[in-house]
Amino acid sequence: MLQTTHKAEIDDILSRYPVRRSALLPLLYLAQREQGYITESAMQEIAGILKLTPPQVYETATFYTMLNLKPVGRFHIQVCKSLMCALVGSDTLIGWIGRKLGIKPGETTADKLFTLSAVECLAACGTAPMMQINDDYYERLTEDKLDRILADLRQTGASALKTGPFMWPEPNGTRQ
Amino acid sequence: MPDPTTETVRLTIDGTTVAVPKGTLVIEAARRMGVMIPHFCYHPKLKPDANCRMCLVEVEKMPKLQTACSTPVAEGMAVRTATTVVDDAHKSVLEFILANHPLDCPVCDQGGKCDLQDFSHQYTPTTSRFTETKRIFQKEYFSPLIETQMNRCVQCLRCVRYCDEIMDVKALAPVGRGTMTEIKHFAAHQLDCEFCGGCIQICPVGAITSRLSMYEYRPWMLKRADTICTFCGDGCRITVQTKGNELIEVNSAHGAGRNNGDLCARGFFGFHATSHPDRLTHPLIRRNGALVEATWEDALEYVAEQATRLKLAHGPDAFGGLISSRCTNEDLYVFQKFMRLVIGTNRIDSSARYGQVNGVQALRRVQGTHRWTIAFEDIVTADALLLVGTNITETSPITGLKVKEAVKKRQATLVTMETLQPAVDTLSNIVNLAAQHFPTHPTQFGNTVIGLIKAVIAHNLVDATIAQQAPAFVQRLTATLQASSWEALESATGQTRSQWTETAQTLAAAKRLVILVGNGVLRQPGGQGTTTNLLDLLILLGKLDQPGCGLGPLAEENNDQGAVEMGAVAEFFPGPAPLNDQVVRERIAAVWREELPRTPGASLTNMLAAANKSTIKMLFVVGENPVGTLPAAAQAKEALAKLELLVCQELFLTETAAMAHVVLPACSYMEKNGTFTNSEGHVQAVRQAIDPVGDSRPDWEMFSALSVLMGSPLEYGDAREILKEIRSVIPGYGLLGPTPTPPKVDHTTLTRYLTEGFAADVTARYALTPPSRRGDNQFTLMFVQTLFHSGKLSTRSKGLLQLQQEGFLSINPEDATRLGLTDGGQVRISNARGTVTTTVKVRERVPVGVLWFPEHFDGEAKQLADWTIDPQTQIPYFKLAHVSLAKVS
Amino acid sequence: MANYEPILLKNMLQPGYTGSLADYERAGGYQALRKVLGKVSPSDVTAVVMKSGLRGRGGAGFPTGVKWGFLPKDYQGPRYLCCNADESEPGTFKDRQLIERDPHQLIEGILIACYAIGAASAYIYIRGEFVLGAKILEQAIGEARAAGYVGKNILGSNSTIDVWVHRGAGAYICGEETALLESLEGKRGLPRVKPPFPATHGLYDKPTVVNNVETLANLPHIMTRGAEWFASIGSPPKSTGTRVFCVSGHVARPGNYEVPMGITFRELIYEQAGGMRSDKKLKAFIPGGASAPFLTPDHLDVKLDFESVAQAGSMLGSGGVTVMEEGTDMVWAALRLMEFFYHESCGKCSPCREGSSWLVQIMRRIVNKRGQMSDLETLTDLCKNIAGRTVCAFGDAEVSPIMSTLKHWRHEYVTLIHAAETANLIRPEPAGAKH
Ligand SMILES: Cc1cc2nc3c(=O)[nH]c(=O)nc-3n(C[C@H](O)[C@H](O)[C@H](O)COP(=O)(O)O)c2cc1C
Ligand code: SF4
Ligand code: FES
């Protein structure tokens, strides 16, 4: 139960809005953070907290692409395939990932480590091709960089190649 | 909804000038002049959503086409609905809507009454440019009574919006987005909701249909009859659709009847009850201890002979008559006339006795009318509403919708005194809409109302005029209320003084105040007193006779009000007029050309007692089943066993009918004509939809036939002739037109009440009811109505049985946890009267310490109920029990 | 290459600037707020913004001061400011930089706007994917709250303004202001029918202003340096100030460039962004995000201001400039954008919902060499039937890639269709085929 494990956080979220239902997306995120995806019982519990019916929670949850109603791999790789990225190689990137991990967009590796999705624009068009893995952006990708990122994730669960606070071009003209 | 009192706006539509109220939508303005702008998502009941984009029109000075459904009229606006541009737009939008549609009209239940078909017929070419792959949804099981075929959905969201805006149920979810949006319930779960059928009715295409009639018909095969539903006192207009003599479907057209086309599960899905295979089809006579089939002639002759014999031997008061208030006014009228004129006794009663009489008596006494001084329209336009003991969603769902409309659409302030906790679940909960809620123990309604009246007086909220005109009344109430301290009130009810105060202020500030009283008050001891006190409240606030203000007791049976007005109760002649009303007695005698009996009437309980003592020898029972519905403490079975003649007019062989000497098969409401009078006093036509089942006959016909055989013929050609006679006895009856003007408060009666009438029982009425003390494991068990059933008929409906088919015990989660009970587990309920084992359902809306059991599946459980008879009114109360619980492992 | 004075990017261009409160204050941050709070009346703040000529940077370019002026004057009860940080328009990535590199600039702008419109709460609706941005904002708001810039009795001025970050969850449409409000209310992000406008019936049905990140980030500078100063930059009188243009695609140095409005595309692409990435020539460009119709090399000398781009048949939109080189398949490019719009159509309006799926299917057929000549007419028709017939501007946006590529590169469609004919491939697709 989220209410027993995250009481303070839930109260804090609720305190931000004059109307309870506004806390719906934050609470769905909380549920997703806990279990990797949003379970039915979480939706039911959230409905209870917000005094909504479960269908009201469900209709909202299914509208947004970032909310997973089914389990995904530990690393959810989302490659932007919109035009701007496609112009400079996002399809190639998807190809690389597919070859390295043996999965196509929409699939998860057998070890449940990686899920690959091809998604629409993630607002990194100037640093394409790019991908987002869980919370982090990885930009200006090359095959070599991709290898390093995947290796990092496998080994330590994180990679230093992720983007920090974003600015492009960098002020001093340096390029990654 | 435009308010007719607001200013009007003039505009032109296709060159013709029209004046409509400000705020009217263009689509409505056009409709008024006969211009139909095509639309899918628009529905007059719903807030505009303008999602289908079908209703585009040209509005002068606007660069783009506008949606007529969401554009309000403006002074001088020029709208064009029939230009090429508009026509092209309509065609193109329709082309989009049809693109992904499966075009499976031949197998669609909506075929022939489908907006999409109609508009396509009007606009589109027979070929489609769409040659791509169509969207396909996986077929999923949706629910026991409602079927979805999402490929046909045009995504207008009317169903979803109806479920939210009108019903407040919020059971439907548009799931996913874009073209792949589909209407579902929750995840993979099947629909669980109020099953009002509203989504089926409001869907413009065949995406949501009824499983009860799936694939059974094409609309043009159906015959229609507009009649009135019998499942509660709301009196909804239904259209019964039949094929041959088979009941296929029931629905209700938008704008029709007091319900404006809305229905509840009972009305929409309950119609099969009357075609149950167990229906009685032939008269039965007891021969050698067994009931055997007989001809009508034999059966009627037998009854006439025996009745004549008994009357000669024991006199007319050895007879009694009991009738169900589900009968038509015509049945009720002929019944009481037969009893009074042919037999010569006033010993008659009906099921209105159980509660309705309480409400009617209070109204008569205080305001001199036996009817509501308000109508449904006044509920909708009220500023403040007070609901007392109603659980209105489950008992009077459509009156409940009026309350919801007032609160949700018009921001009325709702105050509830209910044995209900605010909770969100699959049924809507009126308390969720309340601005102020008094969670009330079932024995504490009287006290909670007293607290409110005390607050009105304590905070000087008494209307100045009343204080001036009826000082004695105000002073006496003030003094009487002093006897009950705030502390005593607070401790008995668990309410707080500050909440009473706040509510008193809210109600005093409202210009239009409506009070609705339900079963929780009317069917409990002290019900008449509490209802009278609520009228006192209206008087004190100076609102009793103000426009839009009034008190409405909610009838339980569809014709409770009619039964009282037809004089089918112990204390009234038709009118209703008390038995000692000389004027009415003479008026009726003049019509009947016969003296009316002078002996006193006898209520249900009197009659049972008299039968037990063998002072009553013969009983006519019409549609009532005292053996089956009353607890053993009522001794109905023993009493009836002693009768020399028991005649039952029935649809089914009930427990009572099984004891009868003669059983006469009666027609159901589907098979006869006549009128019903609903809660608010609206008299409405009942029309025959199918031929009588078997040899069954309308109840009045049987009395008519008997009267002939007994030598005092009451002959009528048809129900209309009876209504004509009713009108000569009750002037103007049933002529009230489509929207009745409710009667006004009679000021002579009111003045009499305020000067002296009130004093007779004021101390008793304002005496505190002691709280029921709870022992360790003491629960108050309530036998309640449920949304899916409302009586003996509903439990024979295959549709409703799919929604609920047995009794179960509803309990609050806290109590359940304490006792280790979980959903579906078994529990033993016991008290000194007995022990019953049943299934548990944990529901947040049930208060702690209280249990609910559906009264129409009460079976053995009803034996646990307290059985009390009000010494004054003779009303039996048997809807509460004090019990302890134990888990069955 | 001409050098322009950066305004919004100025701080972050300083070496070592971290965006912390200390850094921001050192660079003169929160001075505008101090100058305004309790000292300049809210209506005067609005007047200054009106006079500056600042227009919305979110896409529609509506004058900001005028928008604020629509709020009911005498309304008692809460009002809200929503900062639109949904940045989902393909080709646009400026708000992300403004947020992550200089969050306090935005927060100060939000506070000034709240003060001007009388809002005690502001919600920053940030697209869900910007996890880092949301974190940075939360942190910065925390710092600002601790320093007394946010919360009760700000700087002793009696003003109370709270700022909250609200994360979206993946839906382009939630950048549309009324869909944003619905989403913020915990609902599906479907645009509302207008009128009523957010100015009177916005968040929770209360008067509300929705402004883009970049729009709001301009406010501290306008309040510090004055309306006249701002109005003199760019292409007055209608397009004042700078804009951060996001250049992407086949250029040598893609990225964010802040320049005064009114310079030409040629200058932006060839001087700021370093020209084409190879020796292939420029074939096409999108001037203002995916919703803006494509332009051709003939339009390189069009000025980057609202009016000029509109005159050229496109729009300045969100400031996302995407450049395509010779060899880019324009039908394919339009299809890619169409796929985006199909994926993102919320489904409310029939023409957009059904139209986007239909258009995508036709476009896929053409690109896969299964098109036929009549498809071109159908495409044109469908586009016309969608545009202007929907609740929000998404409908107009989704048809612009196809309409404009059909206009400028019709021959490429025709070539693909001819290829289909020669391959004798014209046949309906097998039912249920996956593309
Ligand atoms: C489909 C659609 C998507 C939009 N997306 C965004 C967006 O991501 N960010 C944004 O600031 N404005 C977006 N807008 C514009 C907003 O509706 C709104 O005009 C803007 O936030 C107002 O702020 P401004 O006046 O400061 O520009 C979008 C509009 C539409 C129709
Ligand atoms: S199911 Fe019917 S009412 Fe509901 S959205 Fe679809 S077409 Fe409209
Ligand atoms: S009826 Fe007007 S948009 Fe649907």
Side-chain angles (χ1 to χ4, degrees), chain C residues 76-278:
Chain C
Q76 302 296 316
R79 299 147 180 258
Y80 295 98
L81 176 77
C82 295
C83 167
N84 192 339
D86 193 56
E87 188 155 70
S88 304
E89 178 78 13
T92 316
F93 45 91
K94 65 191 171 66
D95 296 342
R96 179 176 165 219
Q97 179 166 326
L98 291 171
I99 289 168
E100 294 185 6
R101 284 299 183 114
D102 205 359
H104 286 285
Q105 175 175 257
L106 172 60
I107 295 168
E108 188 177 6
I110 288 174
L111 294 167
I112 293 169
C114 281
Y115 175 75
I117 64 168
S121 308
Y123 292 98
I124 305 175
Y125 186 98
I126 185 167
R127 69 176 292 174
E129 292 88 346
F130 287 177
V131 184
L132 181 62
K135 252 187 226 153
I136 290 174
L137 273 174
E138 292 270 16
Q139 230 162 37
I141 293 168
E143 283 181 308
R145 188 172 281 126
Y149 294 121
V150 168
K152 291 209 168 59
N153 191 18
I154 298 171
L155 301 172
S157 70
N158 255 332
S159 295
T160 293
I161 303 169
D162 249 313
V163 184
W164 308 108
V165 177
H166 186 97
R167 291 178 60 207
Y172 165 69
I173 193 64
C174 292
E176 196 280 337
E177 57 183 5
T178 56
L180 181 151
L181 298 175
E182 289 283 298
S183 178
L184 187 44
E185 290 181 5
K187 303 179 188 152
R188 296 159 61 77
L190 306 187
R192 296 177 184 168
V193 180
K194 285 168 279 191
F197 291 94
T200 56
H201 295 76
L203 187 61
Y204 313 125
D205 250 11
K206 304 285 186 285
T208 301
V209 164
V210 182
N211 273 140
N212 169 260
V213 169
E214 187 185 347
T215 313
L216 292 166
N218 271 303
L219 295 174
H221 306 286
I222 294 175
M223 294 323 293
T224 310
R225 298 168 77 174
E228 287 77 13
W229 162 78
F230 191 85
S232 71
I233 302 170
S235 184
K238 291 217 164 143
S239 299
T240 61
T242 63
R243 281 201 71 168
V244 182
F245 289 106
C246 320
V247 188
S248 61
H250 298 143
V251 292
R253 287 200 305 269
N256 282 321
Y257 297 95
E258 183 181 14
V259 294
M261 275 193 271
I263 70 163
T264 62
F265 282 101
R266 189 181 300 282
E267 184 182 342
L268 178 71
I269 294 168
Y270 287 94
E271 294 186 24
Q272 301 288 333
M276 301 306 287
R277 66 170 180 179
S278 66

Side-chain angles (χ1 to χ4, degrees), chain B residues 48-54 56 64-67 70 72 85 88-90 92-93 95-97 99-100 128-135 153-157 174-181, chain C residues 170-172 188 190 193 195 342-355 357-358 361-362 365 375 377-378 381-383 385-386 388-391 396 428-433 435:
Chain B
D49 197 44
N51 64 47
C52 75
R53 316 306 290 174
M54 191 63 207
L56 294 167
K64 285 200 264 180
L65 298 180
Q66 302 293 311
T67 44
S70 65
V85 179
D88 282 350
H90 290 173
S92 81
V93 174
E95 181 180 35
F96 285 127
I97 290 177
N100 272 312
S128 167
R129 290 196 286 181
F130 185 86
T131 53
E132 320 300 325
T133 318
K134 290 203 185 209
R135 161 199 80 178
C153 174
V154 298
Q155 304 189 359
C156 64
L157 302 186
V175 171
R177 77 180 183 208
T179 34
M180 294 314 287
T181 310
Chain C
Y172 165 69
R188 296 159 61 77
L190 306 187
V193 180
Y342 168 59
H343 184 258
E344 298 299 338
S345 170
C346 75
K348 178 165 181 145
C349 307
S350 331
C352 168
R353 178 185 68 237
E354 306 299 337
S357 100
W358 194 343
Q361 297 198 53
I362 298 178
R365 268 200 296 107
D375 286 339
E377 194 191 328
T378 310
D381 253 21
L382 296 182
C383 288
N385 292 345
I386 295 170
R389 305 241 168 112
T390 52
V391 165
D396 305 301
E429 283 187 44
H435 303 276

Side-chain angles (χ1 to χ4, degrees), chain A residues 78-135:
Chain A
Q78 309 190 59
V79 179
C80 170
K81 69 166 176 81
S82 290
L83 174 65
M84 291 71 191
C85 278
L87 287 173
V88 293
S90 60
D91 290 358
T92 318
L93 173 61
I94 291 173
W96 290 333
I97 299 173
R99 223 172 327 111
K100 290 174 208 295
L101 299 178
I103 45 173
K104 290 200 289 289
E107 293 176 352
T108 302
T109 53
D111 57 9
K112 304 265 188 295
L113 219 45
F114 296 98
T115 298
L116 176 62
S117 302
V119 300
E120 297 296 350
C121 181
L122 293 174
C125 324
T127 41
M130 63 81 63
M131 65 185 174
Q132 179 171 22
I133 302 183
N134 298 351
D135 288 353

Side-chain angles (χ1 to χ4, degrees), chain B residues 56-58 65 80-91:
Chain B
L56 294 167
V57 292
E58 263 182 274
L65 298 180
R80 260 182 286 279
T81 73
T83 62
T84 354
V85 179
V86 171
D87 199 55
D88 282 350
H90 290 173
K91 279 186 184 140

